[in-house]
Amino acid sequence: MTAHPSPAAPPEETGPAPLAPPHATRVLVLNSGSSSLKYQLLDMHEGSRLALGLVERIGEETSRLVHTPLQGGGGVRRETEGPIADHQAALKAVAEELAADGLGLDSPELAAIGHRVVHGGLRFTAPTVVDDEVLAEIERLVPVAPLHNPANLTGIRTAMTLRPDLPQVAVFDTAFHTTMPEAAARYAIDVETADAHRIRRYGFHGTSHAYVSRETARLLGKTPEEVNVIVLHLGNGASASAVAGGRCVDTSMGLTPLEGLVMGTRSGDVDPAVTFHLMRNAGMSADEIDVLLNKRSGLVGLCGDNDMREIRRRIDEGDARAALAFDVYIHRLKKYIGAYYAVLGRVDAVAFTAGVGENAAPVREAAIAGLEELGLAVDADLNAVRSDEARIVSPVYARVAVAVVPTDEELEIARQSYALVSETTPEGVNA
């Protein structure tokens, strides 16, 4: 039998990393979707957000831009509606809104533009200053991220046309997970086939998992290197990660964001043979099955709703389908908590984050219930408190802390981008 060596990890890609002038402390963060553009402007020296907003329905007659100045503008939201033809027009509209607040893209205080890029494969293990080679590699990864990377590329190229002199920094969702050992990242399929088609577990939501694991350590009064954390990012998309001493060692999403936990519209884990069964017995095409598993499954497939608040309301009214959907969701969550406890060996905290994780107390309570032998428990009164602050919701006697840690992916992208162009460390950035 021929032994197949694991592919050597490539060196970290950081690009030319031009230095920002000392007075340039602002970072504009862009998150480009296929028909949307989210943005935030942050000052990394003052530790403040200056503005944020969203352009949605790009390419339609009913495009809308929502802009909120957070400094000097009193936080008063401004909305404009009307056709915005493409991402270039969207970014120009954003630039005009920022300029109206004295925060224009031509400001010498702007150090970089940071971009969320969903898939960086194995090559990009750190934030990277974008050049032609980086763009080409992100393009090559489109087959494994067809819904996300093209939109991310559009945002980068658009920003480059408006500020070609400014460092454009790509921060990859997959980067945090590149520390996984091969035993966790490999699928047990033919190695040549897997390598030829880049099939392996990459993981996603990496900026959130990085931020939350680090903030959880801070909440415990320790450094990230001292702490083992299970992070549960529970939004419409959901993922879990096992983080040992600040490094990801396993995560629930895989080649795509479909694998793992039950999500709003995505199935999470299913027997791969379900696909063959539907092809042979239901006459469904690959594209139809793709739509089924990504858009008509998860909570919405089980009960018709993907809003956890609505599902809980229906449960309170005795709705059996809503109760089943909740039970399936929680069962999968418990399985991953237990699995990652075994992977880590020692767990210091389980951290809930994102929309559901931060706001749905019944989800946190149900996910932890019955795990007392693992040192896990939730204090009902602490768990019921609504807050925007990171907090511990486990009783003082619990061996393992249960934490609620609001995620901040934009801040994480800004920190990493600024650290790259200013030669600071993310932990040393004030924001």
Side-chain angles (χ1 to χ4, degrees):
M1 183 178 293
T2 304
H4 298 285
S6 300
E12 286 193 356
E13 185 78 31
T14 59
L19 296 179
H23 62 271
T25 60
R26 295 176 181 174
V27 176
L28 177 65
V29 175
L30 299 180
N31 184 349
S32 300
S34 58
S35 60
S36 66
L37 179 66
K38 296 179 184 177
Y39 63 94
Q40 287 194 22
L41 181 65
L42 302 94
D43 190 298
M44 310 312 294
H45 177 68
E46 295 178 357
S48 62
R49 281 178 175 79
L50 304 177
L52 57 84
L54 166 68
V55 186
E56 56 186 352
R57 299 192 292 271
I58 295 172
E60 301 180 18
E61 292 296 315
T62 57
S63 305
R64 184 173 74 128
L65 191 161
V66 180
H67 175 83
T68 305
L70 299 176
Q71 199 172 65
V76 179
R77 189 170 73 171
R78 303 195 295 265
E79 293 189 24
T80 56
E81 294 190 5
I84 296 177
D86 51 30
H87 282 73
Q88 185 161 355
L91 190 52
K92 285 182 177 178
V94 169
E96 289 173 3
E97 291 291 342
L98 290 170
D101 301 317
L103 304 169
L105 294 191
D106 58 350
S107 169
E109 296 180 73
L110 194 59
I113 299 179
H115 300 266
R116 179 196 180 210
V117 179
V118 166
H119 215 309
L122 286 180
R123 178 173 178 180
F124 299 112
T125 63
T128 304
V129 174
V130 176
D131 57 19
D132 289 343
E133 184 181 349
V134 171
L135 287 173
E137 182 62 20
I138 296 172
E139 188 89 57
R140 281 193 287 272
L141 288 163
V142 165
V144 289
L147 299 179
H148 298 94
N149 273 30
N152 303 153
L153 280 166
T154 298
I156 295 171
R157 287 171 172 145
T158 299
M160 291 176 82
T161 63
L162 293 185
R163 282 298 304 268
D165 59 312
L166 200 66
Q168 308 286 331
V169 180
V171 177
F172 299 90
D173 270 12
T174 50
F176 183 64
H177 304 303
T178 58
T179 57
M180 283 190 293
E182 284 293 290
R186 278 283 183 183
Y187 292 111
I189 66 173
D190 174 69
V191 173
E192 284 84 1
T193 301
D195 288 349
H197 298 282
R198 305 188 185 199
I199 299 171
R200 62 187 289 114
R201 174 170 285 107
Y202 292 101
F204 300 89
H205 294 147
T207 51
S208 177
H209 287 278
Y211 178 85
V212 171
S213 60
R214 190 170 60 246
E215 290 300 307
T216 301
R218 185 177 300 175
L219 185 63
L220 298 180
K222 299 182 178 181
T223 66
E225 292 74 22
E226 297 176 288
V227 175
N228 288 356
V229 185
I230 297 172
V231 178
L232 303 172
H233 177 109
L234 308 179
N236 194 48
S239 61
S241 68
V243 183
R247 293 168 62 86
C248 177
V249 295
D250 206 347
T251 193
S252 58
M253 286 180 168
L255 173 71
T256 75
L258 178 59
E259 188 180 1
L261 301 176
V262 175
M263 305 176 222
T265 66
R266 289 174 239 168
S267 64
D269 294 337
V270 294
D271 182 343
V274 166
T275 299
F276 314 136
H277 179 80
L278 291 173
M279 285 180 169
R280 292 166 182 153
N281 295 284
M284 295 178 70
S285 67
D287 287 344
E288 288 172 329
I289 296 170
D290 192 330
V291 170
L292 170 70
L293 296 180
N294 277 290
K295 298 183 179 179
R296 293 171 42 215
S297 296
L299 292 171
V300 79
L302 288 165
C303 72
D305 272 310
N306 64 337
D307 187 320
M308 188 58 72
R309 294 165 297 187
E310 181 63 15
I311 290 171
R312 292 300 308 176
R313 184 193 67 76
R314 288 172 56 184
I315 291 172
D316 291 341
E317 294 178 353
D319 189 308
R321 283 188 63 188
L324 174 64
F326 185 81
D327 289 346
V328 173
Y329 184 94
I330 295 298
H331 182 79
R332 187 80 55 81
L333 202 48
K334 281 182 182 286
K335 282 177 66 175
Y336 271 91
I337 293 172
Y340 286 172
Y341 206 118
V343 167
L344 290 168
R346 186 200 85 240
V347 176
D348 299 292
V350 174
F352 289 84
T353 193
V356 175
E358 293 169 27
N359 298 302
V363 168
R364 298 191 295 265
E365 180 182 7
I368 299 301
L371 302 182
E372 291 80 10
E373 290 297 320
L374 298 179
L376 288 158
V378 164
D379 181 289
D381 292 335
L382 293 175
N383 191 43
V385 173
R386 296 292 296 268
S387 173
D388 294 331
E389 299 297 320
R391 59 202 185 277
I392 293 174
V393 298
S394 48
V396 292
Y397 62 78
R399 190 169 72 251
V400 179
V402 177
V404 181
V405 181
T407 192
D408 198 331
E409 294 175 272
E410 288 78 14
L411 175 56
E412 182 67 17
I413 291 169
R415 279 176 170 171
Q416 292 191 26
S417 299
Y418 186 67
L420 179 59
V421 301
S422 65
E423 289 191 333
T424 66
T425 62
E427 292 80 2
V429 175
N430 289 333

